[in-house]
Amino acid sequence: MSKSDSLSAVTRPEPGPSDPGPLENGSAASAAVATAAPAAPEPPPAPAAAEPVVIHPFDKRVFGVALAVLALMIALASRYGYFVDELYFFDCLRHLSASYVDQPGLAPLLMRFSVAVFGTSATAIRILPALAAAGTVVIGALTAREFGGTRRAQFVAALGVATMPELLSSAHVANTTSYDLLAWSAFAFVALKVERTGQPRWWLLAGVVLGLGLSDSRLIVSFAIVLVIGLWISGGRRLVTNRWALGGALIAALCALPDLWWQTQHNWAGYTFTHSLNQQNGGPGNIPTWFVGQLFLVSLALVGVWIGGLRHLWRSRNPMWKALFWSYAILFVLFAVTSGGRIYYLAGAYIYLLAAGAVAIDARWSSRRRRVLYTVGGTLTTALMFIIGLPLLSVNSIGWTYGVNRNLGDTVGWPQLANSVDAAWRSLPADQRASTVIYTQNDGEAGAVNQLSAGTGLPTAVSAQNTDWFWGPGNPNATTVLAVVPGPVGGSQAGFKAALQADFADVREVGTISNPYGIHNKEYGGKIYVCTRPREPWGKLWPSLLHYA
């Protein structure tokens, strides 16, 4: 029945057997109107229904995979030494704050908890990152389940996440990355539950997850923004245009307030820092690095799995699934252009891509031949990534890995640096030591001196990099500065020395930094200078020394 017919049926009764119709009563006008009336337009087609999702029982083997990751991380935690970020974090513990230049306050606060409960050993401060990695494995499997994955797909997703080089490498050290990966994966998981269950109340939990993520790293806000953009593109705007989504956003904003407050008190230093990083790591020259680097965030044998997951999301009729595709695509291009050298910025997205891929190709796992191929390929590529990213080899054997992964090399040589600085300081006359400041070019070097030489009588080392600059120059009236300059890998030694000579009339070399393992990391080949006769008082020189890196 057409729209006009429906209206006629409502406004007047149908003619009975003895009632004349419009043509029978001789009304030519009525007949003309009836003939000339245009046909009503057809209603627009209804949108395609979202794909139904069947939730299968959870595969408890996933907990075994997570526990294996936790056990591996704990077993390897004490090998080599502190990581450069951990040494900087030790200094953050001495200056606990709502936020810092290079990250919000949560990760140092969690490390403060670890130190209070477990102690200051490398194993003690790495327990929480290891737990975060194990939790990320479980979230990866739950995400596969949310996509409709069977027990087998959940298990495959857990294995894929557990063998991610980026997950394991980040879980071996105490910094922000392991918590960031957990937050990204948990936020995507809860967003999927919003759509599948039709319960927008889940946005409140998503807000908590996002808020905690923002308290650890500012990077996750980009994921939240592009997910909303993706929902608008894919026709799912109704999922975020409700009071529950607004409530979740408010929760996240409240969690971000301490960081925002700190930034307003420090001239938005965090955003200046981000801009500086983008200048150092972005641009056309780093785009190839970005493209190649994405292949190594996940086990090489599973590249086809996460690409299959990306295709699966693109072909889906579920707006949230398609929004996750758009999130990856938009951030891939954005990060490639702005920060290509930081290949790990998008690592959190691969967790939901692995989950989607495990579901998409679930039927293939029933083939014995495919299982053998994936198992052999996964074992070989994972073993190679383990050697490069984890402290499995003797420390004397890892020099060749520094060109691929600097994390391991940056856990070596810190005691030697601290001892060299101590020796240089003690070589000065006692009256000169009393007016000497130890000044390092980066915050990790300052943290190494302060942590590894604690209680020896050395003055607190200072640095003008990032947050350290805000902690001040030490003794503003110092007449001697013992300057630590990194090796050739860490920057231009000639440039560093020239900068010192611009501020001091007398600059002389008194020491060289090395390590007994021959690992040419950023500190290897560094120099220690005694700088005297400052051209201006040290306290007045300090403002000009600030640098972001």
Side-chain angles (χ1 to χ4, degrees), residues 147-200:
F147 281 127
T150 62
R151 285 192 178 96
R152 179 171 57 195
Q154 296 167 33
F155 184 62
V156 169
L159 288 175
V161 175
T163 56
M164 283 180 63
E166 181 60 26
L167 178 84
L168 297 175
S169 180
S170 66
H172 177 60
V173 298
N175 62 8
T176 62
T177 308
S178 59
Y179 307 125
D180 194 38
L181 293 176
L182 178 60
W184 276 58
S185 58
F187 184 72
F189 165 68
V190 179
L192 287 167
K193 289 192 75 70
V194 170
E195 181 179 59
R196 182 186 63 79
T197 64
Q199 295 293 331

Side-chain angles (χ1 to χ4, degrees), residues 151-404:
R151 285 192 178 96
R152 179 171 57 195
Q154 296 167 33
F155 184 62
V156 169
L159 288 175
V161 175
T163 56
M164 283 180 63
E166 181 60 26
L167 178 84
L168 297 175
S169 180
S170 66
H172 177 60
V173 298
N175 62 8
T176 62
T177 308
S178 59
Y179 307 125
D180 194 38
L181 293 176
L182 178 60
W184 276 58
S185 58
F187 184 72
F189 165 68
V190 179
L192 287 167
K193 289 192 75 70
V194 170
E195 181 179 59
R196 182 186 63 79
T197 64
Q199 295 293 331
R201 291 181 178 85
W202 282 105
W203 281 126
L204 297 180
L205 178 58
V208 173
V209 171
L210 179 58
L212 291 174
L214 284 170
S215 300
D216 169 68
S217 168
R218 303 174 189 115
L219 193 62
I220 193 174
V221 71
S222 59
F223 180 38
I225 292 172
V226 297
L227 183 66
V228 174
I229 294 173
L231 283 171
W232 280 68
I233 294 173
S234 60
R237 67 186 68 179
R238 63 178 179 79
L239 292 173
V240 288
T241 52
N242 56 71
R243 57 177 177 157
W244 301 105
L246 178 61
L250 288 175
I251 292 173
L254 287 173
C255 292
L257 281 180
D259 180 38
L260 293 173
W261 175 83
W262 189 92
Q263 296 298 330
T264 62
Q265 304 301 306
H266 295 81
N267 300 317
W268 299 97
Y271 299 94
T272 306
F273 165 78
T274 300
H275 177 68
S276 177
L277 276 192
N278 289 345
Q279 286 185 318
Q280 296 168 31
N281 296 281
N286 283 309
I287 291 178
T289 301
W290 172 263
F291 273 83
V292 175
Q294 301 311 296
L295 300 177
F296 294 94
L297 297 177
V298 178
S299 174
L300 282 171
L302 299 181
V303 168
V305 175
W306 67 258
I307 290 179
L310 192 64
R311 180 173 178 266
H312 186 56
L313 297 179
W314 167 247
R315 298 181 66 181
S316 171
R317 297 194 304 270
N318 296 40
M320 187 64 76
W321 295 22
K322 209 155 194 175
L324 288 173
F325 165 86
W326 282 115
S327 297
Y328 177 85
I330 294 171
L331 289 179
F332 186 96
V333 174
L334 178 64
F335 290 154
V337 174
T338 62
S339 52
R342 300 269 172 163
I343 61 172
Y344 59 88
Y345 274 11
L346 197 50
Y350 289 96
I351 297 164
Y352 69 73
L353 291 184
L354 282 170
V359 174
I361 62 176
D362 184 35
R364 300 184 186 181
W365 304 115
S366 60
S367 165
R368 184 176 182 276
R369 179 173 175 272
R370 289 185 182 275
R371 288 201 304 272
V372 170
L373 287 175
Y374 275 113
T375 300
V376 173
T379 301
L380 292 177
T381 58
T382 300
L384 176 61
M385 292 299 103
F386 274 25
I387 291 173
I388 294 174
L390 292 175
L392 295 174
L393 301 177
S394 165
V395 68
N396 295 293
S397 307
I398 65 168
W400 63 275
T401 68
Y402 197 71
V404 181

Side-chain angles (χ1 to χ4, degrees), residues 72-82 121-124 126 172 391 411:
L72 178 66
M73 293 295 98
I74 298 300
L76 297 177
S78 62
R79 291 178 61 81
Y80 305 176
Y82 291 123
S121 69
T123 299
R126 292 169 179 173
H172 177 60
T411 63

